[in-house]
Coordinates of all heavy atoms in Angstrom, one line a residue:
M660 N 8.1 28.0 -301.0 CA 7.6 28.9 -299.9 C 6.3 28.3 -299.5 O 5.4 27.9 -300.1 CB 7.3 30.4 -300.5 CG 6.8 31.3 -299.4 SD 6.4 32.9 -300.1 CE 4.7 32.5 -300.8
T661 N 6.2 28.4 -298.1 CA 5.0 27.8 -297.4 C 4.4 29.0 -296.5 O 5.1 29.4 -295.7 CB 5.3 26.5 -296.7 OG1 6.0 25.6 -297.5 CG2 4.1 26.0 -296.1
I662 N 3.1 29.2 -296.6 CA 2.4 30.1 -295.7 C 1.6 29.2 -294.6 O 0.8 28.3 -295.0 CB 1.5 30.9 -296.4 CG1 2.1 31.7 -297.6 CG2 0.7 31.8 -295.6 CD1 1.1 32.4 -298.5
T663 N 1.8 29.5 -293.5 CA 1.1 28.9 -292.4 C 0.3 30.0 -291.5 O 0.9 31.2 -291.4 CB 1.8 28.0 -291.5 OG1 3.0 28.8 -291.0 CG2 2.4 26.9 -292.3
A664 N -0.8 29.8 -291.0 CA -1.6 30.8 -290.2 C -1.8 30.1 -288.8 O -2.3 29.0 -288.7 CB -2.8 31.1 -290.9
D665 N -1.5 30.9 -287.8 CA -1.8 30.4 -286.4 C -3.2 31.1 -286.0 O -3.2 32.3 -285.7 CB -0.7 31.0 -285.5 CG -0.9 30.6 -284.0 OD1 -2.0 30.0 -283.7 OD2 -0.1 30.7 -283.3
L666 N -4.3 30.3 -286.1 CA -5.5 30.8 -286.0 C -5.8 31.1 -284.5 O -6.6 32.0 -284.1 CB -6.6 29.7 -286.4 CG -6.6 29.4 -287.7 CD1 -7.8 28.5 -288.1 CD2 -6.8 30.7 -288.6
S667 N -4.9 30.7 -283.5 CA -5.1 31.1 -282.1 C -4.7 32.5 -281.9 O -5.0 33.2 -280.8 CB -4.3 30.2 -281.3 OG -2.8 30.3 -281.4
R668 N -3.9 33.1 -282.9 CA -3.4 34.5 -282.8 C -4.3 35.4 -283.6 O -4.3 36.6 -283.3 CB -1.9 34.5 -283.2 CG -1.0 33.8 -282.3 CD 0.4 33.9 -282.9 NE 0.9 35.3 -282.8 CZ 1.9 35.6 -281.9 NH1 2.4 34.9 -281.1 NH2 2.3 36.9 -281.8
C669 N -4.8 34.9 -284.7 CA -5.5 35.8 -285.7 C -6.8 36.4 -284.9 O -7.5 35.7 -284.3 CB -6.1 34.9 -286.8 SG -7.0 35.8 -288.0
V670 N -6.9 37.7 -285.2 CA -7.9 38.5 -284.6 C -8.9 38.9 -285.6 O -9.8 39.7 -285.3 CB -7.4 39.7 -283.8 CG1 -6.6 39.3 -282.7 CG2 -6.6 40.6 -284.8
G671 N -8.7 38.4 -286.9 CA -9.8 38.6 -287.9 C -9.7 40.0 -288.4 O -10.8 40.5 -288.8
A672 N -8.7 40.7 -288.3 CA -8.6 42.1 -288.8 C -8.8 42.2 -290.3 O -9.2 43.2 -290.7 CB -7.2 42.7 -288.4
G673 N -8.4 41.1 -291.0 CA -8.6 41.2 -292.4 C -7.6 42.0 -293.3 O -7.7 42.1 -294.5
Q674 N -6.5 42.4 -292.6 CA -5.4 43.1 -293.3 C -4.8 42.2 -294.3 O -4.5 42.7 -295.5 CB -4.4 43.6 -292.3 CG -3.4 44.5 -292.9 CD -4.0 45.8 -293.3 OE1 -4.9 46.3 -292.7 NE2 -3.6 46.3 -294.5
C675 N -4.7 40.9 -294.0 CA -4.1 40.0 -295.1 C -4.9 39.9 -296.4 O -4.5 39.9 -297.4 CB -3.9 38.7 -294.5 SG -5.3 38.0 -293.7
V676 N -6.2 40.0 -296.2 CA -7.2 39.9 -297.4 C -7.0 41.1 -298.2 O -7.1 41.0 -299.3 CB -8.7 39.6 -296.9 CG1 -9.5 39.5 -298.1 CG2 -8.6 38.4 -296.1
L677 N -7.0 42.3 -297.5 CA -6.8 43.6 -298.2 C -5.4 43.6 -299.0 O -5.3 44.1 -300.1 CB -6.9 44.7 -297.3 CG -8.2 44.9 -296.5 CD1 -8.1 46.0 -295.5 CD2 -9.4 45.2 -297.6
T678 N -4.5 43.0 -298.4 CA -3.2 43.0 -299.0 C -3.1 42.1 -300.2 O -2.4 42.4 -301.3 CB -2.1 42.6 -297.9 OG1 -2.2 43.5 -296.8 CG2 -0.7 42.7 -298.5
E679 N -3.5 40.8 -300.1 CA -3.5 40.0 -301.2 C -4.6 39.0 -301.3 O -4.6 37.8 -300.7 CB -2.1 39.1 -301.1 CG -1.9 38.2 -302.3 CD -2.3 38.9 -303.7 OE1 -1.5 39.7 -304.1 OE2 -3.3 38.7 -304.2
P680 N -5.8 39.3 -301.8 CA -7.0 38.5 -301.8 C -6.8 37.2 -302.6 O -7.7 36.3 -302.5 CB -8.1 39.4 -302.4 CG -7.2 40.4 -303.1 CD -6.0 40.7 -302.4
R681 N -5.7 37.1 -303.4 CA -5.5 35.9 -304.1 C -4.9 34.8 -303.2 O -5.0 33.7 -303.4 CB -4.5 36.0 -305.3 CG -5.1 36.8 -306.4 CD -4.1 37.1 -307.5 NE -3.1 38.1 -307.0 CZ -2.1 38.5 -307.7 NH1 -2.0 38.1 -309.0 NH2 -1.2 39.3 -307.2
L682 N -4.4 35.2 -302.0 CA -3.7 34.2 -301.1 C -4.6 34.0 -299.7 O -4.6 33.0 -299.1 CB -2.4 34.8 -300.6 CG -1.4 34.6 -301.7 CD1 0.0 35.2 -301.1 CD2 -1.2 33.2 -302.2
F683 N -5.4 35.0 -299.4 CA -6.1 35.0 -298.1 C -7.6 35.3 -298.2 O -8.0 36.1 -299.1 CB -5.5 36.0 -297.2 CG -4.0 35.8 -297.0 CD1 -3.1 36.6 -297.6 CD2 -3.5 34.8 -296.3 CE1 -1.7 36.5 -297.4 CE2 -2.2 34.5 -296.0 CZ -1.3 35.5 -296.6
D684 N -8.3 34.7 -297.4 CA -9.8 35.0 -297.3 C -10.1 34.9 -295.8 O -9.2 34.7 -295.0 CB -10.7 34.0 -298.1 CG -12.1 34.4 -298.3 OD1 -12.4 35.6 -297.8 OD2 -12.8 33.8 -299.1
Q685 N -11.3 35.3 -295.5 CA -11.7 35.2 -294.0 C -12.9 34.2 -293.8 O -13.7 34.2 -294.6 CB -12.1 36.5 -293.5 CG -10.8 37.4 -293.3 CD -11.3 38.9 -292.7 OE1 -11.6 39.7 -293.6 NE2 -11.4 38.9 -291.5
D686 N -12.9 33.5 -292.8 CA -14.0 32.6 -292.4 C -15.3 33.4 -292.3 O -15.2 34.4 -291.6 CB -13.6 31.9 -291.1 CG -14.7 30.7 -290.8 OD1 -15.8 31.2 -290.4 OD2 -14.4 29.7 -291.0
P687 N -16.3 33.0 -292.9 CA -17.6 33.7 -292.9 C -18.1 33.8 -291.5 O -18.9 34.7 -291.2 CB -18.5 33.1 -293.9 CG -17.9 31.7 -294.1 CD -16.4 31.9 -293.8
D688 N -17.8 32.9 -290.5 CA -18.4 32.8 -289.3 C -17.7 33.6 -288.2 O -18.2 34.5 -287.6 CB -18.4 31.4 -288.8 CG -19.4 30.5 -289.7 OD1 -20.5 31.0 -290.1 OD2 -19.2 29.3 -289.9
D689 N -16.3 33.4 -288.2 CA -15.6 34.2 -287.2 C -14.6 35.2 -287.7 O -13.9 35.8 -286.9 CB -15.1 33.2 -286.2 CG -14.0 32.3 -286.9 OD1 -13.5 32.5 -288.0 OD2 -13.5 31.2 -286.2
G690 N -14.5 35.2 -289.0 CA -13.5 36.3 -289.5 C -12.1 35.9 -289.5 O -11.3 36.6 -290.0
T691 N -11.7 34.6 -288.9 CA -10.3 34.3 -288.9 C -9.8 34.0 -290.4 O -10.6 33.6 -291.3 CB -10.1 33.1 -288.0 OG1 -11.0 32.0 -288.5 CG2 -10.3 33.4 -286.6
V692 N -8.5 34.0 -290.6 CA -7.9 33.9 -291.9 C -8.2 32.6 -292.4 O -8.1 31.5 -291.7 CB -6.4 34.3 -291.8 CG1 -5.7 33.4 -291.0 CG2 -5.9 34.5 -293.3
V693 N -8.3 32.4 -293.8 CA -8.3 31.3 -294.5 C -7.2 31.4 -295.6 O -7.3 32.3 -296.4 CB -9.7 31.0 -295.2 CG1 -9.5 29.7 -296.1 CG2 -10.7 30.8 -294.1
V694 N -6.2 30.5 -295.5 CA -5.1 30.6 -296.5 C -5.6 29.9 -297.8 O -5.9 28.6 -297.6 CB -3.8 30.0 -295.9 CG1 -2.7 30.0 -297.0 CG2 -3.4 30.7 -294.6
L695 N -5.7 30.6 -298.9 CA -6.2 29.9 -300.0 C -5.1 29.1 -300.7 O -5.6 28.2 -301.5 CB -6.8 31.0 -300.9 CG -7.9 31.9 -300.4 CD1 -8.2 33.0 -301.3 CD2 -9.0 31.1 -300.1
D696 N -3.9 29.5 -300.6 CA -2.8 28.7 -301.3 C -1.7 28.7 -300.4 O -1.0 29.7 -300.2 CB -2.5 29.5 -302.6 CG -1.5 28.6 -303.4 OD1 -1.0 27.5 -302.9 OD2 -1.3 29.0 -304.6
H697 N -1.4 27.5 -299.7 CA -0.3 27.3 -298.8 C 1.1 27.4 -299.5 O 2.1 27.6 -298.8 CB -0.5 26.0 -298.0 CG -1.6 26.2 -296.9 ND1 -1.4 26.7 -295.8 CD2 -2.9 25.9 -297.0 CE1 -2.5 26.7 -295.1 NE2 -3.5 26.2 -295.7
E698 N 1.1 27.0 -300.8 CA 2.4 27.0 -301.5 C 2.2 27.9 -302.7 O 2.1 27.3 -303.9 CB 2.8 25.5 -301.8 CG 3.0 24.7 -300.5 CD 3.5 23.3 -300.8 OE1 3.7 23.1 -302.0 OE2 3.7 22.6 -299.8
P699 N 2.2 29.2 -302.6 CA 1.8 30.0 -303.8 C 3.0 30.0 -304.8 O 4.1 29.8 -304.4 CB 1.5 31.4 -303.1 CG 2.4 31.3 -301.9 CD 2.4 29.9 -301.4
P700 N 2.7 30.5 -306.0 CA 3.7 30.7 -307.1 C 4.6 31.7 -306.8 O 4.3 32.7 -305.9 CB 2.9 31.0 -308.3 CG 1.6 31.5 -307.8 CD 1.3 30.9 -306.5
A701 N 5.7 31.9 -307.4 CA 6.8 32.8 -307.1 C 6.4 34.2 -307.2 O 6.8 35.1 -306.5 CB 8.0 32.5 -308.1
D702 N 5.4 34.5 -308.2 CA 5.0 35.9 -308.3 C 4.2 36.4 -307.2 O 4.0 37.7 -307.1 CB 4.2 36.1 -309.7 CG 3.0 35.4 -309.6 OD1 3.0 34.2 -309.2 OD2 2.1 35.9 -310.3
L703 N 3.8 35.6 -306.2 CA 3.1 36.0 -305.1 C 4.0 36.0 -303.8 O 3.5 36.2 -302.7 CB 1.8 35.2 -304.8 CG 0.8 35.3 -305.9 CD1 -0.4 34.4 -305.7 CD2 0.4 36.8 -306.1
V704 N 5.2 35.7 -303.9 CA 6.1 35.6 -302.8 C 6.2 36.8 -302.0 O 6.0 37.0 -300.8 CB 7.5 35.1 -303.1 CG1 8.5 35.2 -302.0 CG2 7.4 33.6 -303.5
E705 N 6.4 38.1 -302.7 CA 6.5 39.3 -302.1 C 5.2 39.8 -301.4 O 5.3 40.2 -300.2 CB 6.9 40.3 -303.1 CG 8.4 40.5 -303.4 CD 9.2 40.7 -302.1 OE1 8.7 41.6 -301.3 OE2 10.1 40.0 -301.8
A706 N 4.0 39.5 -302.1 CA 2.8 39.7 -301.5 C 2.6 39.0 -300.2 O 2.0 39.5 -299.2 CB 1.7 39.5 -302.5
A707 N 3.0 37.8 -300.1 CA 2.8 36.9 -299.0 C 3.7 37.5 -297.8 O 3.2 37.5 -296.5 CB 3.3 35.5 -299.2
H708 N 4.9 37.9 -298.1 CA 5.8 38.5 -297.0 C 5.2 39.8 -296.5 O 5.2 40.0 -295.4 CB 7.1 38.8 -297.6 CG 8.0 37.5 -297.7 ND1 8.5 37.0 -296.6 CD2 8.5 36.8 -298.7 CE1 9.3 35.9 -296.8 NE2 9.3 35.8 -298.1
E709 N 4.7 40.6 -297.5 CA 3.9 41.8 -297.1 C 2.8 41.6 -296.1 O 2.6 42.2 -295.2 CB 3.5 42.6 -298.4 CG 2.9 43.9 -298.1 CD 3.8 45.0 -297.7 OE1 5.0 44.7 -297.5 OE2 3.4 46.2 -297.8
A710 N 1.9 40.6 -296.5 CA 0.8 40.3 -295.7 C 1.3 39.9 -294.3 O 0.6 40.3 -293.2 CB 0.0 39.3 -296.3
A711 N 2.3 39.1 -294.2 CA 2.8 38.6 -292.9 C 3.3 39.8 -292.0 O 3.1 39.8 -290.9 CB 3.8 37.6 -293.2
R712 N 3.9 40.8 -292.8 CA 4.6 41.8 -292.1 C 3.4 42.8 -291.5 O 3.6 43.4 -290.5 CB 5.4 42.6 -293.0 CG 6.3 43.7 -292.4 CD 7.2 44.3 -293.4 NE 6.4 45.0 -294.5 CZ 6.0 46.2 -294.4 NH1 6.1 46.9 -293.1 NH2 5.4 46.9 -295.3
L713 N 2.4 42.9 -292.3 CA 1.4 43.8 -291.9 C 0.3 43.2 -290.9 O -0.4 44.0 -290.4 CB 0.6 44.3 -293.2 CG 1.3 45.2 -294.1 CD1 0.6 45.4 -295.3 CD2 1.8 46.5 -293.4
C714 N 0.3 41.9 -290.7 CA -0.6 41.2 -289.8 C -0.4 41.9 -288.5 O 0.7 41.7 -287.9 CB -0.4 39.8 -289.9 SG -1.5 39.0 -288.6
P715 N -1.5 42.5 -287.8 CA -1.4 43.0 -286.5 C -1.1 42.2 -285.4 O -0.5 42.5 -284.4 CB -2.6 43.8 -286.3 CG -3.6 43.2 -287.2 CD -2.8 42.7 -288.3
S716 N -1.4 40.8 -285.6 CA -1.2 39.9 -284.5 C -0.1 38.9 -284.8 O 0.0 37.9 -284.1 CB -2.6 39.2 -284.3 OG -2.9 38.4 -285.4
R717 N 0.7 39.1 -285.9 CA 1.7 38.3 -286.3 C 1.3 36.7 -286.4 O 2.0 35.9 -285.9 CB 2.9 38.3 -285.2 CG 3.6 39.6 -285.2 CD 4.7 39.7 -286.2 NE 5.3 41.0 -286.2 CZ 5.2 42.0 -287.0 NH1 4.5 41.8 -288.0 NH2 5.9 43.1 -287.0
A718 N 0.1 36.5 -287.0 CA -0.5 35.2 -287.0 C 0.0 34.5 -288.3 O -0.2 33.2 -288.3 CB -2.0 35.3 -287.2
L719 N 0.7 35.1 -289.3 CA 1.1 34.5 -290.5 C 2.6 34.3 -290.5 O 3.3 35.1 -290.0 CB 0.7 35.5 -291.6 CG -0.8 35.8 -291.8 CD1 -0.9 36.8 -293.0 CD2 -1.6 34.4 -292.1
A720 N 3.0 33.1 -291.0 CA 4.4 32.7 -291.0 C 4.6 32.3 -292.5 O 3.8 31.5 -293.1 CB 4.7 31.6 -290.1
V721 N 5.6 32.9 -293.1 CA 6.1 32.7 -294.5 C 7.5 32.0 -294.4 O 8.5 32.6 -293.9 CB 6.1 33.9 -295.3 CG1 6.5 33.5 -296.7 CG2 4.7 34.5 -295.3
A722 N 7.5 30.7 -294.7 CA 8.7 30.0 -294.7 C 9.2 29.7 -296.1 O 8.5 29.2 -297.0 CB 8.5 28.6 -293.9
V723 N 10.5 30.1 -296.4 CA 11.0 29.9 -297.7 C 11.8 28.6 -297.7 O 12.7 28.4 -296.9 CB 12.1 31.1 -298.0 CG1 12.6 30.9 -299.4 CG2 11.2 32.4 -298.0
A724 N 11.5 27.8 -298.7 CA 12.1 26.5 -298.7 C 13.6 26.7 -299.1 O 14.0 27.6 -299.8 CB 11.5 25.6 -299.9
T725 N 14.5 25.8 -298.5 CA 15.8 26.0 -298.8 C 16.5 24.8 -299.5 O 15.7 23.8 -299.8 CB 16.7 26.0 -297.4 OG1 16.3 24.7 -296.6 CG2 16.3 27.2 -296.7
Ligands
LIG1471 S1 -4.2 40.2 -291.0 FE1 -3.6 38.7 -289.4 S2 -5.1 38.9 -287.8 FE2 -5.9 39.8 -289.6 S3 -7.2 38.2 -290.6 FE3 -5.1 38.2 -291.5 S4 -4.0 36.7 -290.3 FE4 -5.7 37.3 -289.0

């Protein structure tokens, strides 16, 4: 699984950080998302999908390797 963030869409709402702080942080300057682990372990897959689903600007993409 790979997490990517489109910073041009991110509005810095921080919902992803609230959802899973082990995967996401926010830039201290502008609040945009910082992906802490682009290829997280299996036990965080559901949390990554949840964060992407809850992101108000659809800035997060979670791609599952095939
Ligand atoms: S929830 Fe979406 S818009 Fe908000 S900080 Fe995270 S990626 Fe950016």
Side-chain angles (χ1 to χ4, degrees):
M660 182 184 78
T661 304
I662 301 172
T663 55
D665 182 350
L666 296 183
S667 70
R668 297 178 67 105
C669 177
V670 296
Q674 191 64 42
C675 53
V676 182
L677 293 173
T678 303
E679 186 43 77
R681 290 174 292 180
L682 290 178
F683 305 102
D684 199 352
Q685 284 178 276
D686 185 288
D688 292 325
D689 62 11
T691 54
V692 65
V693 176
V694 180
L695 299 176
D696 189 349
H697 286 273
E698 296 182 7
D702 62 323
L703 293 181
V704 168
E705 272 308 309
H708 280 291
E709 179 77 350
R712 191 177 65 78
L713 293 174
C714 173
S716 61
R717 297 270 183 255
L719 298 174
V721 178
V723 179
T725 54

